[in-house]
Amino acid sequence: MNDSVVIIPTYNEKENIENIIRAVFYLPHGFDILIIDDGSPDGTAGIVKRLQTEFPERLHLVERSGKLGLGTAYIAGFRWALERSYEYIFEMDADFSHPPKDLLNLYAACHTGGADVSVGSRYVNNLVSVVNWPIGRILMSYFASIYVRIITGLKVKDTTAGFVCYTRRVLKRFELDKIRFKGYAFQIEMKFTAYKLGFRIKEVPVVFVNRQLGTSKMSGGIFGEALFGVMRLRWAALTGKIKPRKA
């Protein structure tokens, strides 16, 4: 078993799943992969099972019945990884919006760079590093991150980023069963909780590329959850509800 596992949630990603798996496995660092598939009717899980015969020790699959939400998929993946003693646990999309080669930079930031959490950020150095997104979506994402920083005080520029490395010691201190959100707000809640628990978060510049194949899973409800969810996070911090898991 390697020291790192990349968690990739999927729903109808048959166009991308084999290529993203091979791209990660071709990297010089030995990453394992855990696919969390939410009952994809397009046969995504079947493709993964076929590839497991080629990569029996490195490719893993958890199948769930139906779309249960991005946040719950990652929580399931975190629990799976903690049970198996991985030291570096990654979040990554299946659609190549997160360049696989940048896993190496996220790993280095935690392994040798002193970070507890590393974030693949679209908004560092006063730049917006996004390719093929409509301008309206870029502005919504950019100003949403500013809004989150104002409300919560979180010192992360790309608060909704979903390309992240968590060290084992971070996730072990989280009360994972109390993480409430499922969409964009899930990503904010995870970073905010790590920040309030005193962990060091480092942003690593990446170029986000809009998917070329398959269908986006974004919805208006995801943005609404983020808009109001940050207020709940701020209140939870003020009332002392964000705290480490008891040993």
Side-chain angles (χ1 to χ4, degrees):
M1 186 179 75
N2 293 307
D3 68 347
S4 308
V5 62
V6 181
I7 302 171
I8 305 178
T10 56
Y11 183 77
N12 286 350
E13 291 289 354
K14 68 177 183 179
E15 296 92 347
N16 296 301
I17 193 60
E18 179 167 356
N19 289 335
I20 196 71
I21 288 170
R22 292 191 182 278
V24 172
F25 285 158
Y26 288 159
L27 294 172
H29 180 72
F31 296 98
D32 290 352
I33 297 176
L34 171 64
I35 305 296
I36 308 284
D37 186 71
D38 274 5
S40 297
D42 71 344
T44 297
I47 297 171
V48 176
K49 290 175 182 177
R50 171 173 57 80
L51 291 171
Q52 282 184 303
T53 64
E54 185 176 348
F55 306 103
E57 302 298 325
R58 299 181 61 190
L59 179 58
H60 309 278
L61 173 66
V62 171
E63 294 183 86
R64 308 198 303 171
S65 57
K67 295 179 71 175
L68 302 177
L70 180 71
T72 66
Y74 276 127
I75 294 297
F78 295 155
R79 294 187 189 281
W80 185 96
L82 290 173
E83 290 172 358
R84 288 159 179 81
S85 302
Y86 287 100
E87 291 295 331
Y88 304 95
I89 301 163
F90 295 77
E91 299 178 355
M92 192 173 82
D93 289 348
D95 61 6
F96 284 92
S97 56
H98 303 146
K101 64 181 177 60
D102 286 325
L103 287 168
L104 299 171
N105 296 328
L106 293 179
Y107 175 77
C110 290
H111 182 61
T112 59
D116 300 303
V117 179
S118 57
V119 177
S121 177
R122 299 162 287 187
Y123 306 131
V124 294
N125 302 324
N126 297 315
L127 297 174
V128 178
S129 300
V130 177
V131 176
N132 293 333
W133 255 15
I135 186 64
R137 188 171 172 186
I138 292 174
L139 292 173
M140 182 180 295
S141 175
Y142 181 76
F143 286 108
S145 285
I146 293 176
Y147 163 76
V148 171
R149 296 201 304 272
I150 291 172
I151 297 297
T152 65
L154 179 59
K155 307 301 182 183
V156 174
K157 291 186 176 180
D158 195 349
T159 56
T160 62
F163 195 23
V164 186
C165 173
Y166 292 97
T167 56
R168 180 179 182 82
R169 61 182 172 272
V170 172
L171 295 180
K172 284 188 70 175
R173 290 190 66 200
F174 274 39
E175 292 189 283
L176 292 174
D177 58 338
K178 293 187 178 180
I179 299 295
R180 290 157 288 184
F181 299 116
K182 295 182 179 181
Y184 261 17
F186 166 80
Q187 300 294 359
I188 299 167
E189 183 175 10
M190 290 293 294
K191 298 177 187 69
F192 183 65
T193 302
Y195 167 70
K196 294 303 292 184
L197 294 180
F199 290 109
R200 183 186 175 193
I201 304 173
K202 182 176 181 179
E203 291 188 84
V204 176
V206 301
V207 176
F208 182 97
V209 181
N210 197 29
R211 70 161 60 236
Q212 299 297 310
L213 299 172
T215 303
S216 173
K217 313 305 187 296
M218 295 294 295
S219 69
I222 290 175
F223 285 107
E225 181 190 59
L227 178 66
F228 296 106
V230 293
M231 298 179 185
R232 292 175 58 187
L233 289 176
R234 178 63 175 169
W235 178 250
L238 290 172
T239 56
K241 293 182 179 179
I242 294 179
K243 54 189 178 182
R245 183 179 62 84
K246 294 180 181 179

